Structures are given as structure tokens and as C-alpha cells.
Amino acid sequence: RERARAVLEAAKRRDTNSLGVEAMDLLSAYGIPIPKGEIVDGTSEAREAAERIDDGDGVVMKIVSPDILHKSDIGGVEVGVPAEDVADTYEDLVTRARNYQSDATILGVQIQEMLDLDAATETIVGMNRDPQFGPLVLFGLGGIFVEVLEDTTVKVAPVSEPEAESMIDDIESAPLLRGARGREPVDEAGVVETIQRLSQLVTDFPAILELDINPLVATPSGVSAVDVRLTID
Ligand code: ADP
Ligand code: MG
């Protein structure tokens, strides 16, 4: 809780209402698993971080800017970057961000562990404050599917364990998570726990107006919050 408060206060000091992957620690402070990652400033820092994080499949590199909400839309995400391409990719990401918006605030580049998405399902866990109902916790199919399929469900926070479980039942893609067509079922308990932890986080901090973990990557062996976006008061 104290760690979460520190992240939010740091953001306030930077005078911004919009936070991205620089707020990843907010999630881990509430026990939500996140991939290994570091935010770096400069190509040599990027190389060093990649060396620490790469476990054989390269790394993922993402532009970190409060002015860029959908990073992949502007070419701000590169996956599977091998060590020898890390420095060039760093420069490319910054150039693309500048081309998109010349005066964008660029906090750096995130170097993140590359996850194997073969047996994974990308889900979304989010929160929106409704003027009438208060904090609405959302769960659904995530990644690029979230807008296309709109397969999501909401509950008012705080969300209990049975309620979180029923949110999985509620979406049409539930069979996808539960092992349809010979797929291995994902770690449903991990998903349920993440829904509840997010619910707790937004209940503890009313200053969080909106929060999206998209995607929460769900695999048979666990879940991982790969991307986060929030707005604060
Ligand atoms: P944005 O939503 O801002 O475009 P994301 O961080 O969500 O950026 O990345 C976009 C997509 O890239 C994700 O939905 C996922 O498919 C893929 N991706 C992101 N991070 C990783 C990672 N660490 N390992 C594997 N794939 C990733
Ligand atoms: Mg995303």
C-alpha cells in the first residue's frame, strides 16, 4: 500500500494525469504479477538492461510516454528484439514517437521480458468510475480483440471471489480460457485473484479514475500484466 502510494505521488509531482508502464510497480505492490522490465534512457542503458532481461528469445521494447496511449498504433512496441538490435530499436522507437507528436514527453523506453504467447490468452482487467455506480471493474477478452469483439463484463467494486469467478463465466470467450479445442486451460485462479487485487487497489485509492491492464496475459502456468494505463485525479 505504501509502495502504491509512492508511485501515485511521483506521478503527481510530474504533474501528469495519465500514466503508462512507468506505473507497473503499482500493480506489483498489490501482488499482481508483472514481467521483468526496466525503463531506460539511452542506448547503452538499453543494451545493459536487455542483457539482464533477455533469456534467449530477445526482449520487448516499448516507448514510454504519457502522450502516447496506444503504443503499437504508432509503431511503439517491438517484440523479440535480439541483443544486437536493441540500440537501433531504441532510436527507432524514439523517432516514431517524435514523428507522431514532435513535442511528446518521452520518459524513456521500457525493456521487458519476452513472454511466450503460444498457449496464452490476452485478457483485459480494468476499472472505470461511474458517476452513479462508483468503480466498475471490467473483465474480458483483451489485446486487439477488446474493441473488435467487445466481449467484456462489469461488476461494482469491491468484487468478491465468487463475483470475480462469475465474471469469467459471463464472457462468451470463457471456453477459450477453459481449454476449448484441445487448448490447455489457463490459470483461472490467477485471473480471479488479479480481478480482486485490482478491485482492492481502486477501492484503496479513489484518486485512480481509470485503470486498464491490457493485456493481462493468461497462460496455463500463471498470469502476467504486460501493459497498464491509468488516469488519476
Ligand atoms: P499498446 O497496448 O500500448 O499498444 P502493449 O504493451 O499492450 O502496447 O503491447 C501490444 C501487444 O504486444 C500486446 O497486446 C501483446 O500482444 C504484445 N506484447 C506486449 N508485451 C509483450 C511481452 N512482454 N511479451 C510478448 N508479447 C508482448
Ligand atoms: Mg496494451
Side-chain angles (χ1 to χ4, degrees):
R1 179 119 171 217
E2 284 315 306
R3 263 170 65 211
R5 194 182 305 282
V7 174
L8 292 172
E9 272 163 12
K12 247 192 206 147
R13 278 197 298 278
R14 278 209 332 275
D15 207 26
T16 177
N17 294 313
S18 177
L19 305 190
V21 292
E22 70 275 18
M24 225 45 142
D25 288 344
L26 193 63
L27 304 180
S28 56
Y30 269 68
I32 297 171
I34 61 172
K36 272 191 276 177
E38 292 179 40
I39 294 172
V40 298
D41 180 16
T43 53
S44 55
E45 259 190 47
R47 269 203 224 91
E48 287 163 22
E51 210 170 296
R52 283 189 289 272
I53 291 167
D54 193 346
D55 40 25
D57 303 315
V59 292
V60 179
M61 297 179 65
K62 306 181 189 184
I63 194 76
V64 185
S65 164
D67 298 314
I68 299 169
L69 300 182
H70 299 287
K71 298 176 286 298
S72 34
D73 285 358
I74 64 127
V77 178
E78 290 287 346
V79 300
V81 181
E84 64 269 25
D85 293 345
V86 166
D88 285 348
T89 302
Y90 182 98
E91 302 287 9
D92 288 347
L93 292 174
V94 173
T95 303
R96 289 173 199 156
R98 288 265 169 260
N99 288 342
Y100 167 71
Q101 187 183 320
S102 55
D103 65 347
T105 300
I106 296 174
L107 300 175
V109 166
Q110 186 191 37
I111 313 281
Q112 197 175 57
E113 174 189 358
M114 179 75 190
L115 300 181
D116 178 10
L117 299 186
D118 280 351
T121 304
E122 294 192 35
T123 65
I124 179 172
V125 182
M127 185 278 298
N128 240 304
R129 277 185 205 277
D130 182 271
Q132 197 181 345
F133 298 104
L136 295 181
V137 173
L138 171 142
F139 172 72
L141 205 61
I144 54 170
F145 298 120
V146 65
E147 280 108 24
V148 184
L149 298 180
E150 288 183 17
D151 188 11
T152 55
T153 181
V154 294
K155 284 239 183 306
V156 179
V159 177
S160 70
E161 187 173 337
E163 280 178 321
E165 280 163 359
S166 77
M167 290 179 84
I168 301 181
D169 300 326
D170 284 347
I171 65 167
E172 281 174 40
S173 324
L176 210 64
L177 295 167
R178 290 174 169 156
R181 304 205 167 220
R183 286 163 58 96
E184 223 184 312
V186 305
D187 173 21
E188 205 169 311
V191 174
V192 167
E193 219 169 81
T194 302
I195 293 172
Q196 286 188 270
R197 287 173 191 265
L198 177 135
S199 160
Q200 190 61 53
L201 170 64
V202 302
T203 304
D204 291 348
F205 293 98
I208 302 176
L209 301 180
E210 250 182 336
L211 193 162
D212 274 324
I213 301 173
N214 186 20
L216 176 80
V217 168
T219 75
S221 58
V223 299
S224 190
V226 153
D227 186 26
V228 67
R229 203 155 68 76
L230 60 148
T231 46
I232 55 175
D233 196 355

